[in-house]
Amino acid sequence: MNRIQQLFKKKQENVCSVFVTAGYPKLESTVDVVLDLEAARVDMIEIGMPFSDPLADGPTIQKSSLQALKNGMNIPLLFEQIEEIRKTSQIPIVLMGYLNPVMAYGLEAFLEKCKDVGVDGLIIPDISLETYELEYRYLFTQLGVPLTFLVTPRTSLNRIIRIQNNTETFIYYVSSSATTGRSSNFTEQQESAFLQFNELKLTVPVLAGFGIHNQETFHTVCKYFNGGIIGSAFLRSLEKGQSAKSFVSSLI
Amino acid sequence: MKYQADKNGYFGVYGGAFIPELLYPNVEELKAHFTEAKEDEKFLSAFRHLLRDYVGRPTPLYFAPSLSLRYGANVYLKREDLNHTGAHKINNTIGQVLLAQRMGKSEIIAETGAGQHGVATATVCAMTGLRCKVFMGEKDMARQAPNVARMKMLGAEVLPAITGSKTLKDATNEAIRYWINNPDSYYIIGSVVGPHPYPEMVAYFQSVISEEMKKQLLEKTGFENPDMVIACVGGGSNAAGAFYHYLDEPVELIIAEAAGKGVNSGKSAATSVLGSPGVLHGSKTLLMQTKDGQVIEPYSISAGLDYPGIGPQHAHLIESNRAKVFAITDDEALDAALILSKTEGIIPALESAHALAVLEKIKFSGQTVVINLSGRGDKDLETYMNYL
Ligand SMILES: Cc1ncc(COP(=O)(O)O)c(C=O)c1O
């Protein structure tokens, strides 16, 4: 059982996962930021692998990605940083990023290295379910690094079931049809979509993300899902120099 | 058929649909409607009707006597520059706007580089009464100012892309983000790029180019097939249309790509040489990237060729040696534009000038060559004036 599966075994509610761009705000920030988040009682960390063309991301993550690339961030360096983290921490780590940098590293080598340094899961939004089934499933399952799929309020029931069948860790529920980083509160329509999804009673854990930026939005998703994922809001707080501890305590 | 897309949108190993779940319903909806529409005689006849009466097709196939004499070949120009709005781009926007109407859409979005696709999109939106937003890199807005003015006059909103190199790649990123945030809009992609079914669909709408070429050549020469078809490739839509009906024929297919200031100058857009397999804008293709997989900012004097990727079908044609590529520098393209202007009285678009420049690179002995003259040079006059 990997660290994510262990986490969900012991905790099914209010799971708090925080996203941070690797190499942001400084190249060497990754390790400290992750350890600070762990000390602030965050349950899981998603580390973003920066890409020059982040299509599904809003301005905040675009900006942090470009800054990280300017700082000299890359995947080999990230693996070193994760090795450093793993010296003292057993927090579940998910790497999130676009496919192209992973392809450039070499998918097979990448998966092996993930296994090696203690990465527990991957989120690669531009690998669709179809592409996964067509091209990649064999490699991911063979090498034992689970992929997390996104579902949105527009994903059909049929497809949700197929995604569930391909899920070993958790599903990422995208709160709305939008790029990352919105900071408005959830609409009634969104909440009724959450409720509907909740009523499916899936057999795998589900975390909701996109647009979770304060206590209210975090609590709302925790009513319907196993927990929430905070990304842009944390990056904005980092930019302002707020400590991970005060950010997290303002949230949960 | 081995050069066409398979049912999952792959051309060999390239293509596919590398899209986030957020776009899955959009792309599925599009695929379903396109599959239906291309079998629907009513849709096809509306498409043909507009190509004839609105665009002005068929475009002439012109035997260019001065070029022929100069290069020792029978040089024909497929005059896509004579289309309404001045380039081949409108063939595709007519097809896609009809599809958007069929799908009940009320808002159209598009990306544009040179502005030709933006103008062609703004034009069909004006014609059909659909709302139109065009994303354009800030740098391109400056170097193709006349096209920005045209789009505005046609009632489109032009939104500057201010990230990255502020050119076509960034405009495409912004259009895709807008599409994610506004899934009810219809995204008219301007070239044979993007997730399946776009590359296949855009090539299909552009295939009228080679369909006409075949008929016209037969009339003029007694043969449907030339020895060679030459076209420039940014994303590759004019080339895809010019090659379409020749893919399985014994005809040499030649791609002119933009070498910028030279393939090894660090200021280039020669994807076939500088690119390696990667994923951008929803498909797997040849892509200019660093060893870490970050997309490299391309460079070309021609805004329409200033793109770090290439349509997946072209990647496949190149790798399977079905098509041959020539990398043409800015200066070679400018020279070719001058030659065509002075000797045939036709001012070509800078993009098309790259295709013309290939004539300098081949030793001919009387072959029949068709060059797809993808557009006219009005939009490039400022650049030409600086060169004269
Ligand atoms: C006249 C002309 N030719 C060619 C191109 C390049 O596009 P494609 O490679 O899709 O034909 C453009 C793009 O703007 C153009 O305006």
Side-chain angles (χ1 to χ4, degrees), chain B residues 86-89 112-117 144 168 190-192 202 206 232-240 302-305 314 349-352 373-376 379:
Chain B
H88 67 289
K89 295 282 181 188
T112 195
Q116 287 304 109
H117 174 60
Q144 311 272 255
L168 182 54
S191 193
V192 283
V202 175
Q206 291 291 358
C232 67
V233 167
S237 65
N238 86 86
S302 137
L305 305 183
H314 295 301
L350 261 169
E351 292 78 16
S352 323
L373 196 69
S374 56
R376 58 178 174 244
K379 68 184 175 58

PDB file of all heavy atoms in Angstrom, chain B residues 86-89 112-117 144 168 190-192 202 206 232-240 302-305 314 349-352 373-376 379, ligand 1:
ATOM      1  N   GLY B  86      -7.969  37.003 -48.986  1.00  0.00           N
ATOM      2  CA  GLY B  86      -6.561  37.002 -49.374  1.00  0.00           C
ATOM      3  C   GLY B  86      -5.703  35.821 -48.995  1.00  0.00           C
ATOM      4  O   GLY B  86      -4.483  35.893 -49.115  1.00  0.00           O
ATOM      5  N   ALA B  87      -6.300  34.727 -48.565  1.00  0.00           N
ATOM      6  CA  ALA B  87      -5.500  33.535 -48.272  1.00  0.00           C
ATOM      7  C   ALA B  87      -6.398  32.301 -48.243  1.00  0.00           C
ATOM      8  O   ALA B  87      -7.628  32.412 -48.294  1.00  0.00           O
ATOM      9  CB  ALA B  87      -4.769  33.687 -46.947  1.00  0.00           C
ATOM     10  N   HIS B  88      -5.744  31.146 -48.145  1.00  0.00           N
ATOM     11  CA  HIS B  88      -6.475  29.878 -48.091  1.00  0.00           C
ATOM     12  C   HIS B  88      -7.283  29.728 -46.818  1.00  0.00           C
ATOM     13  O   HIS B  88      -8.160  28.885 -46.737  1.00  0.00           O
ATOM     14  CB  HIS B  88      -5.480  28.719 -48.167  1.00  0.00           C
ATOM     15  CG  HIS B  88      -4.606  28.636 -46.943  1.00  0.00           C
ATOM     16  ND1 HIS B  88      -3.623  29.560 -46.669  1.00  0.00           N
ATOM     17  CD2 HIS B  88      -4.604  27.766 -45.904  1.00  0.00           C
ATOM     18  CE1 HIS B  88      -3.035  29.255 -45.513  1.00  0.00           C
ATOM     19  NE2 HIS B  88      -3.606  28.175 -45.032  1.00  0.00           N
ATOM     20  N   LYS B  89      -6.968  30.529 -45.811  1.00  0.00           N
ATOM     21  CA  LYS B  89      -7.540  30.320 -44.478  1.00  0.00           C
ATOM     22  C   LYS B  89      -9.065  30.269 -44.492  1.00  0.00           C
ATOM     23  O   LYS B  89      -9.681  29.588 -43.673  1.00  0.00           O
ATOM     24  CB  LYS B  89      -7.072  31.429 -43.529  1.00  0.00           C
ATOM     25  CG  LYS B  89      -5.566  31.423 -43.273  1.00  0.00           C
ATOM     26  CD  LYS B  89      -5.164  30.352 -42.291  1.00  0.00           C
ATOM     27  CE  LYS B  89      -3.654  30.363 -42.019  1.00  0.00           C
ATOM     28  NZ  LYS B  89      -3.224  29.206 -41.209  1.00  0.00           N
ATOM     29  N   THR B 112      -4.801  33.661 -33.899  1.00  0.00           N
ATOM     30  CA  THR B 112      -4.243  34.008 -35.198  1.00  0.00           C
ATOM     31  C   THR B 112      -2.791  34.439 -35.063  1.00  0.00           C
ATOM     32  O   THR B 112      -2.380  34.948 -34.013  1.00  0.00           O
ATOM     33  CB  THR B 112      -5.086  35.095 -35.903  1.00  0.00           C
ATOM     34  OG1 THR B 112      -4.725  35.154 -37.283  1.00  0.00           O
ATOM     35  CG2 THR B 112      -4.891  36.468 -35.269  1.00  0.00           C
ATOM     36  N   GLY B 113      -2.017  34.188 -36.120  1.00  0.00           N
ATOM     37  CA  GLY B 113      -0.618  34.582 -36.131  1.00  0.00           C
ATOM     38  C   GLY B 113      -0.453  35.787 -37.033  1.00  0.00           C
ATOM     39  O   GLY B 113      -0.373  36.936 -36.593  1.00  0.00           O
ATOM     40  N   ALA B 114      -0.486  35.538 -38.340  1.00  0.00           N
ATOM     41  CA  ALA B 114      -0.374  36.625 -39.298  1.00  0.00           C
ATOM     42  C   ALA B 114      -1.626  37.497 -39.318  1.00  0.00           C
ATOM     43  O   ALA B 114      -1.636  38.581 -39.878  1.00  0.00           O
ATOM     44  CB  ALA B 114      -0.122  36.054 -40.686  1.00  0.00           C
ATOM     45  N   GLY B 115      -2.688  36.982 -38.730  1.00  0.00           N
ATOM     46  CA  GLY B 115      -3.940  37.713 -38.768  1.00  0.00           C
ATOM     47  C   GLY B 115      -4.845  37.236 -39.890  1.00  0.00           C
ATOM     48  O   GLY B 115      -6.009  37.599 -39.946  1.00  0.00           O
ATOM     49  N   GLN B 116      -4.305  36.408 -40.800  1.00  0.00           N
ATOM     50  CA  GLN B 116      -5.130  35.936 -41.918  1.00  0.00           C
ATOM     51  C   GLN B 116      -6.260  35.045 -41.430  1.00  0.00           C
ATOM     52  O   GLN B 116      -7.392  35.156 -41.879  1.00  0.00           O
ATOM     53  CB  GLN B 116      -4.278  35.177 -42.941  1.00  0.00           C
ATOM     54  CG  GLN B 116      -3.380  36.060 -43.770  1.00  0.00           C
ATOM     55  CD  GLN B 116      -4.133  37.142 -44.497  1.00  0.00           C
ATOM     56  OE1 GLN B 116      -4.022  38.308 -44.139  1.00  0.00           O
ATOM     57  NE2 GLN B 116      -4.918  36.785 -45.493  1.00  0.00           N
ATOM     58  N   HIS B 117      -5.920  34.150 -40.504  1.00  0.00           N
ATOM     59  CA  HIS B 117      -6.968  33.283 -39.974  1.00  0.00           C
ATOM     60  C   HIS B 117      -7.954  34.096 -39.127  1.00  0.00           C
ATOM     61  O   HIS B 117      -9.158  33.846 -39.161  1.00  0.00           O
ATOM     62  CB  HIS B 117      -6.370  32.136 -39.161  1.00  0.00           C
ATOM     63  CG  HIS B 117      -7.411  31.308 -38.467  1.00  0.00           C
ATOM     64  ND1 HIS B 117      -8.398  30.645 -39.163  1.00  0.00           N
ATOM     65  CD2 HIS B 117      -7.652  31.074 -37.147  1.00  0.00           C
ATOM     66  CE1 HIS B 117      -9.198  30.020 -38.295  1.00  0.00           C
ATOM     67  NE2 HIS B 117      -8.765  30.270 -37.069  1.00  0.00           N
ATOM     68  N   GLN B 144       1.422  42.978 -37.800  1.00  0.00           N
ATOM     69  CA  GLN B 144       0.373  42.745 -38.787  1.00  0.00           C
ATOM     70  C   GLN B 144      -0.805  43.674 -38.512  1.00  0.00           C
ATOM     71  O   GLN B 144      -1.971  43.266 -38.540  1.00  0.00           O
ATOM     72  CB  GLN B 144      -0.084  41.280 -38.764  1.00  0.00           C
ATOM     73  CG  GLN B 144       1.073  40.292 -38.801  1.00  0.00           C
ATOM     74  CD  GLN B 144       1.533  39.923 -40.212  1.00  0.00           C
ATOM     75  OE1 GLN B 144       1.258  38.858 -40.687  1.00  0.00           O
ATOM     76  NE2 GLN B 144       2.237  40.780 -40.917  1.00  0.00           N
ATOM     77  N   LEU B 168       2.018  33.342 -32.093  1.00  0.00           N
ATOM     78  CA  LEU B 168       0.958  32.374 -32.370  1.00  0.00           C
ATOM     79  C   LEU B 168       0.771  31.318 -31.275  1.00  0.00           C
ATOM     80  O   LEU B 168      -0.351  30.991 -30.894  1.00  0.00           O
ATOM     81  CB  LEU B 168       1.258  31.712 -33.721  1.00  0.00           C
ATOM     82  CG  LEU B 168       0.254  30.692 -34.234  1.00  0.00           C
ATOM     83  CD1 LEU B 168      -1.144  31.263 -34.267  1.00  0.00           C
ATOM     84  CD2 LEU B 168       0.672  30.234 -35.642  1.00  0.00           C
ATOM     85  N   GLY B 190      -7.075  27.455 -36.646  1.00  0.00           N
ATOM     86  CA  GLY B 190      -6.726  27.949 -37.969  1.00  0.00           C
ATOM     87  C   GLY B 190      -5.767  27.095 -38.761  1.00  0.00           C
ATOM     88  O   GLY B 190      -5.425  27.437 -39.896  1.00  0.00           O
ATOM     89  N   SER B 191      -5.309  26.003 -38.188  1.00  0.00           N
ATOM     90  CA  SER B 191      -4.406  25.167 -38.968  1.00  0.00           C
ATOM     91  C   SER B 191      -4.628  23.701 -38.605  1.00  0.00           C
ATOM     92  O   SER B 191      -5.511  23.388 -37.800  1.00  0.00           O
ATOM     93  CB  SER B 191      -2.952  25.588 -38.729  1.00  0.00           C
ATOM     94  OG  SER B 191      -2.124  24.974 -39.702  1.00  0.00           O
ATOM     95  N   VAL B 192      -3.812  22.823 -39.193  1.00  0.00           N
ATOM     96  CA  VAL B 192      -4.010  21.389 -38.967  1.00  0.00           C
ATOM     97  C   VAL B 192      -3.293  20.954 -37.692  1.00  0.00           C
ATOM     98  O   VAL B 192      -2.505  20.018 -37.694  1.00  0.00           O
ATOM     99  CB  VAL B 192      -3.532  20.563 -40.176  1.00  0.00           C
ATOM    100  CG1 VAL B 192      -4.539  20.633 -41.297  1.00  0.00           C
ATOM    101  CG2 VAL B 192      -2.166  21.046 -40.673  1.00  0.00           C
ATOM    102  N   VAL B 202      -9.598  20.162 -40.436  1.00  0.00           N
ATOM    103  CA  VAL B 202      -9.091  21.331 -41.161  1.00  0.00           C
ATOM    104  C   VAL B 202      -8.515  20.889 -42.514  1.00  0.00           C
ATOM    105  O   VAL B 202      -8.732  21.537 -43.540  1.00  0.00           O
ATOM    106  CB  VAL B 202      -8.051  22.098 -40.311  1.00  0.00           C
ATOM    107  CG1 VAL B 202      -7.441  23.239 -41.107  1.00  0.00           C
ATOM    108  CG2 VAL B 202      -8.687  22.614 -39.028  1.00  0.00           C
ATOM    109  N   GLN B 206      -9.723  22.057 -46.252  1.00  0.00           N
ATOM    110  CA  GLN B 206      -8.742  22.635 -47.181  1.00  0.00           C
ATOM    111  C   GLN B 206      -8.516  21.749 -48.404  1.00  0.00           C
ATOM    112  O   GLN B 206      -7.871  22.177 -49.365  1.00  0.00           O
ATOM    113  CB  GLN B 206      -7.389  22.854 -46.477  1.00  0.00           C
ATOM    114  CG  GLN B 206      -7.387  23.949 -45.403  1.00  0.00           C
ATOM    115  CD  GLN B 206      -7.550  25.355 -45.969  1.00  0.00           C
ATOM    116  OE1 GLN B 206      -7.641  25.558 -47.179  1.00  0.00           O
ATOM    117  NE2 GLN B 206      -7.592  26.339 -45.079  1.00  0.00           N
ATOM    118  N   CYS B 232       4.184  25.983 -48.205  1.00  0.00           N
ATOM    119  CA  CYS B 232       4.814  26.364 -46.944  1.00  0.00           C
ATOM    120  C   CYS B 232       4.045  25.743 -45.789  1.00  0.00           C
ATOM    121  O   CYS B 232       2.867  25.422 -45.921  1.00  0.00           O
ATOM    122  CB  CYS B 232       4.856  27.885 -46.796  1.00  0.00           C
ATOM    123  SG  CYS B 232       3.229  28.655 -46.603  1.00  0.00           S
ATOM    124  N   VAL B 233       4.725  25.561 -44.675  1.00  0.00           N
ATOM    125  CA  VAL B 233       4.082  24.987 -43.501  1.00  0.00           C
ATOM    126  C   VAL B 233       4.395  25.812 -42.258  1.00  0.00           C
ATOM    127  O   VAL B 233       5.550  25.981 -41.878  1.00  0.00           O
ATOM    128  CB  VAL B 233       4.545  23.525 -43.276  1.00  0.00           C
ATOM    129  CG1 VAL B 233       4.121  23.048 -41.889  1.00  0.00           C
ATOM    130  CG2 VAL B 233       3.952  22.612 -44.330  1.00  0.00           C
ATOM    131  N   GLY B 234       3.315  26.372 -41.685  1.00  0.00           N
ATOM    132  CA  GLY B 234       3.408  26.935 -40.344  1.00  0.00           C
ATOM    133  C   GLY B 234       2.896  25.817 -39.444  1.00  0.00           C
ATOM    134  O   GLY B 234       3.661  25.002 -38.925  1.00  0.00           O
ATOM    135  N   GLY B 235       1.571  25.751 -39.312  1.00  0.00           N
ATOM    136  CA  GLY B 235       0.951  24.551 -38.759  1.00  0.00           C
ATOM    137  C   GLY B 235       0.787  23.527 -39.868  1.00  0.00           C
ATOM    138  O   GLY B 235       0.929  22.331 -39.669  1.00  0.00           O
ATOM    139  N   GLY B 236       0.466  24.040 -41.067  1.00  0.00           N
ATOM    140  CA  GLY B 236       0.424  23.168 -42.232  1.00  0.00           C
ATOM    141  C   GLY B 236      -0.909  23.018 -42.935  1.00  0.00           C
ATOM    142  O   GLY B 236      -1.111  22.057 -43.667  1.00  0.00           O
ATOM    143  N   SER B 237      -1.832  24.001 -42.764  1.00  0.00           N
ATOM    144  CA  SER B 237      -3.155  23.781 -43.362  1.00  0.00           C
ATOM    145  C   SER B 237      -3.173  23.954 -44.873  1.00  0.00           C
ATOM    146  O   SER B 237      -3.836  23.194 -45.580  1.00  0.00           O
ATOM    147  CB  SER B 237      -4.202  24.681 -42.715  1.00  0.00           C
ATOM    148  OG  SER B 237      -3.952  26.046 -42.955  1.00  0.00           O
ATOM    149  N   ASN B 238      -2.419  24.938 -45.394  1.00  0.00           N
ATOM    150  CA  ASN B 238      -2.460  25.078 -46.857  1.00  0.00           C
ATOM    151  C   ASN B 238      -1.760  23.893 -47.503  1.00  0.00           C
ATOM    152  O   ASN B 238      -2.202  23.376 -48.535  1.00  0.00           O
ATOM    153  CB  ASN B 238      -1.931  26.457 -47.301  1.00  0.00           C
ATOM    154  CG  ASN B 238      -0.425  26.521 -47.462  1.00  0.00           C
ATOM    155  OD1 ASN B 238       0.104  26.193 -48.523  1.00  0.00           O
ATOM    156  ND2 ASN B 238       0.284  26.930 -46.412  1.00  0.00           N
ATOM    157  N   ALA B 239      -0.683  23.424 -46.881  1.00  0.00           N
ATOM    158  CA  ALA B 239       0.017  22.253 -47.402  1.00  0.00           C
ATOM    159  C   ALA B 239      -0.875  21.018 -47.320  1.00  0.00           C
ATOM    160  O   ALA B 239      -0.951  20.231 -48.274  1.00  0.00           O
ATOM    161  CB  ALA B 239       1.317  22.027 -46.634  1.00  0.00           C
ATOM    162  N   ALA B 240      -1.570  20.858 -46.201  1.00  0.00           N
ATOM    163  CA  ALA B 240      -2.439  19.686 -46.051  1.00  0.00           C
ATOM    164  C   ALA B 240      -3.495  19.665 -47.150  1.00  0.00           C
ATOM    165  O   ALA B 240      -3.807  18.609 -47.709  1.00  0.00           O
ATOM    166  CB  ALA B 240      -3.099  19.681 -44.677  1.00  0.00           C
ATOM    167  N   SER B 302       8.064  35.775 -40.859  1.00  0.00           N
ATOM    168  CA  SER B 302       6.674  35.612 -41.260  1.00  0.00           C
ATOM    169  C   SER B 302       5.853  35.129 -40.074  1.00  0.00           C
ATOM    170  O   SER B 302       6.078  34.046 -39.532  1.00  0.00           O
ATOM    171  CB  SER B 302       6.625  34.599 -42.410  1.00  0.00           C
ATOM    172  OG  SER B 302       5.567  33.719 -42.222  1.00  0.00           O
ATOM    173  N   ALA B 303       4.908  35.966 -39.655  1.00  0.00           N
ATOM    174  CA  ALA B 303       4.121  35.657 -38.455  1.00  0.00           C
ATOM    175  C   ALA B 303       3.351  34.347 -38.602  1.00  0.00           C
ATOM    176  O   ALA B 303       3.153  33.624 -37.641  1.00  0.00           O
ATOM    177  CB  ALA B 303       3.155  36.802 -38.160  1.00  0.00           C
ATOM    178  N   GLY B 304       2.962  34.011 -39.831  1.00  0.00           N
ATOM    179  CA  GLY B 304       2.157  32.807 -40.035  1.00  0.00           C
ATOM    180  C   GLY B 304       2.967  31.520 -39.934  1.00  0.00           C
ATOM    181  O   GLY B 304       2.412  30.432 -39.867  1.00  0.00           O
ATOM    182  N   LEU B 305       4.289  31.634 -39.959  1.00  0.00           N
ATOM    183  CA  LEU B 305       5.132  30.434 -39.857  1.00  0.00           C
ATOM    184  C   LEU B 305       5.856  30.374 -38.510  1.00  0.00           C
ATOM    185  O   LEU B 305       6.646  29.465 -38.261  1.00  0.00           O
ATOM    186  CB  LEU B 305       6.162  30.398 -41.001  1.00  0.00           C
ATOM    187  CG  LEU B 305       5.601  30.487 -42.422  1.00  0.00           C
ATOM    188  CD1 LEU B 305       6.725  30.369 -43.449  1.00  0.00           C
ATOM    189  CD2 LEU B 305       4.555  29.406 -42.688  1.00  0.00           C
ATOM    190  N   HIS B 314       1.834  16.222 -40.976  1.00  0.00           N
ATOM    191  CA  HIS B 314       3.107  16.578 -41.614  1.00  0.00           C
ATOM    192  C   HIS B 314       4.284  15.906 -40.911  1.00  0.00           C
ATOM    193  O   HIS B 314       5.233  15.468 -41.565  1.00  0.00           O
ATOM    194  CB  HIS B 314       3.281  18.094 -41.646  1.00  0.00           C
ATOM    195  CG  HIS B 314       2.272  18.777 -42.511  1.00  0.00           C
ATOM    196  ND1 HIS B 314       2.137  18.508 -43.852  1.00  0.00           N
ATOM    197  CD2 HIS B 314       1.319  19.692 -42.224  1.00  0.00           C
ATOM    198  CE1 HIS B 314       1.152  19.236 -44.347  1.00  0.00           C
ATOM    199  NE2 HIS B 314       0.633  19.968 -43.379  1.00  0.00           N
ATOM    200  N   ALA B 349       2.173  36.617 -50.097  1.00  0.00           N
ATOM    201  CA  ALA B 349       2.346  36.691 -48.644  1.00  0.00           C
ATOM    202  C   ALA B 349       3.743  36.186 -48.308  1.00  0.00           C
ATOM    203  O   ALA B 349       4.295  35.351 -49.025  1.00  0.00           O
ATOM    204  CB  ALA B 349       1.298  35.834 -47.940  1.00  0.00           C
ATOM    205  N   LEU B 350       4.299  36.686 -47.212  1.00  0.00           N
ATOM    206  CA  LEU B 350       5.625  36.228 -46.784  1.00  0.00           C
ATOM    207  C   LEU B 350       5.670  34.719 -46.568  1.00  0.00           C
ATOM    208  O   LEU B 350       6.670  34.072 -46.846  1.00  0.00           O
ATOM    209  CB  LEU B 350       5.991  36.906 -45.465  1.00  0.00           C
ATOM    210  CG  LEU B 350       6.907  38.114 -45.568  1.00  0.00           C
ATOM    211  CD1 LEU B 350       6.967  38.828 -44.228  1.00  0.00           C
ATOM    212  CD2 LEU B 350       8.305  37.682 -46.008  1.00  0.00           C
ATOM    213  N   GLU B 351       4.570  34.163 -46.066  1.00  0.00           N
ATOM    214  CA  GLU B 351       4.506  32.717 -45.842  1.00  0.00           C
ATOM    215  C   GLU B 351       4.682  31.995 -47.172  1.00  0.00           C
ATOM    216  O   GLU B 351       5.545  31.122 -47.325  1.00  0.00           O
ATOM    217  CB  GLU B 351       3.160  32.324 -45.207  1.00  0.00           C
ATOM    218  CG  GLU B 351       2.960  32.817 -43.776  1.00  0.00           C
ATOM    219  CD  GLU B 351       2.581  34.302 -43.684  1.00  0.00           C
ATOM    220  OE1 GLU B 351       2.183  34.889 -44.715  1.00  0.00           O
ATOM    221  OE2 GLU B 351       2.700  34.873 -42.584  1.00  0.00           O
ATOM    222  N   SER B 352       3.872  32.410 -48.162  1.00  0.00           N
ATOM    223  CA  SER B 352       3.911  31.756 -49.479  1.00  0.00           C
ATOM    224  C   SER B 352       5.266  31.948 -50.146  1.00  0.00           C
ATOM    225  O   SER B 352       5.708  31.092 -50.930  1.00  0.00           O
ATOM    226  CB  SER B 352       2.823  32.338 -50.391  1.00  0.00           C
ATOM    227  OG  SER B 352       1.649  32.614 -49.661  1.00  0.00           O
ATOM    228  N   LEU B 373       0.238  29.015 -53.757  1.00  0.00           N
ATOM    229  CA  LEU B 373       0.437  30.418 -53.373  1.00  0.00           C
ATOM    230  C   LEU B 373      -0.636  30.736 -52.341  1.00  0.00           C
ATOM    231  O   LEU B 373      -1.718  31.202 -52.673  1.00  0.00           O
ATOM    232  CB  LEU B 373       0.314  31.290 -54.619  1.00  0.00           C
ATOM    233  CG  LEU B 373       0.878  32.698 -54.450  1.00  0.00           C
ATOM    234  CD1 LEU B 373       2.391  32.649 -54.325  1.00  0.00           C
ATOM    235  CD2 LEU B 373       0.481  33.578 -55.627  1.00  0.00           C
ATOM    236  N   SER B 374      -0.294  30.492 -51.074  1.00  0.00           N
ATOM    237  CA  SER B 374      -1.327  30.441 -50.029  1.00  0.00           C
ATOM    238  C   SER B 374      -1.983  31.788 -49.737  1.00  0.00           C
ATOM    239  O   SER B 374      -3.108  31.842 -49.271  1.00  0.00           O
ATOM    240  CB  SER B 374      -0.746  29.856 -48.745  1.00  0.00           C
ATOM    241  OG  SER B 374       0.385  30.601 -48.328  1.00  0.00           O
ATOM    242  N   GLY B 375      -1.260  32.898 -50.008  1.00  0.00           N
ATOM    243  CA  GLY B 375      -1.892  34.173 -49.708  1.00  0.00           C
ATOM    244  C   GLY B 375      -1.212  35.343 -50.384  1.00  0.00           C
ATOM    245  O   GLY B 375      -0.126  35.211 -50.947  1.00  0.00           O
ATOM    246  N   ARG B 376      -1.873  36.498 -50.318  1.00  0.00           N
ATOM    247  CA  ARG B 376      -1.311  37.683 -50.949  1.00  0.00           C
ATOM    248  C   ARG B 376      -0.578  38.549 -49.928  1.00  0.00           C
ATOM    249  O   ARG B 376      -0.771  38.430 -48.721  1.00  0.00           O
ATOM    250  CB  ARG B 376      -2.374  38.462 -51.689  1.00  0.00           C
ATOM    251  CG  ARG B 376      -3.540  38.934 -50.868  1.00  0.00           C
ATOM    252  CD  ARG B 376      -4.492  39.753 -51.773  1.00  0.00           C
ATOM    253  NE  ARG B 376      -5.703  40.127 -51.091  1.00  0.00           N
ATOM    254  CZ  ARG B 376      -6.914  39.710 -51.445  1.00  0.00           C
ATOM    255  NH1 ARG B 376      -7.085  38.854 -52.430  1.00  0.00           N
ATOM    256  NH2 ARG B 376      -7.978  40.144 -50.795  1.00  0.00           N
ATOM    257  N   LYS B 379      -0.727  42.353 -46.437  1.00  0.00           N
ATOM    258  CA  LYS B 379      -0.484  42.460 -44.991  1.00  0.00           C
ATOM    259  C   LYS B 379       1.004  42.626 -44.679  1.00  0.00           C
ATOM    260  O   LYS B 379       1.367  43.019 -43.574  1.00  0.00           O
ATOM    261  CB  LYS B 379      -1.028  41.223 -44.287  1.00  0.00           C
ATOM    262  CG  LYS B 379      -0.240  39.956 -44.623  1.00  0.00           C
ATOM    263  CD  LYS B 379      -0.818  38.711 -44.005  1.00  0.00           C
ATOM    264  CE  LYS B 379      -0.085  37.467 -44.463  1.00  0.00           C
ATOM    265  NZ  LYS B 379       1.368  37.434 -44.196  1.00  0.00           N
TER     266      LYS B 379
HETATM  267  C1  LIG C   1      -0.811  33.265 -46.435  1.00  0.00           C
HETATM  268  C2  LIG C   1      -0.501  32.255 -45.400  1.00  0.00           C
HETATM  269  N1  LIG C   1       0.117  31.140 -45.761  1.00  0.00           N
HETATM  270  C3  LIG C   1       0.433  30.192 -44.859  1.00  0.00           C
HETATM  271  C4  LIG C   1       0.160  30.350 -43.520  1.00  0.00           C
HETATM  272  C5  LIG C   1       0.594  29.298 -42.571  1.00  0.00           C
HETATM  273  O1  LIG C   1      -0.453  28.485 -42.113  1.00  0.00           O
HETATM  274  P1  LIG C   1      -0.609  27.000 -42.592  1.00  0.00           P
HETATM  275  O2  LIG C   1       0.731  26.357 -42.383  1.00  0.00           O
HETATM  276  O3  LIG C   1      -1.644  26.444 -41.682  1.00  0.00           O
HETATM  277  O4  LIG C   1      -1.018  26.970 -43.985  1.00  0.00           O
HETATM  278  C6  LIG C   1      -0.504  31.511 -43.103  1.00  0.00           C
HETATM  279  C7  LIG C   1      -0.826  31.705 -41.683  1.00  0.00           C
HETATM  280  O5  LIG C   1      -1.183  32.713 -41.187  1.00  0.00           O
HETATM  281  C8  LIG C   1      -0.836  32.485 -44.066  1.00  0.00           C
HETATM  282  O6  LIG C   1      -1.451  33.616 -43.709  1.00  0.00           O
END
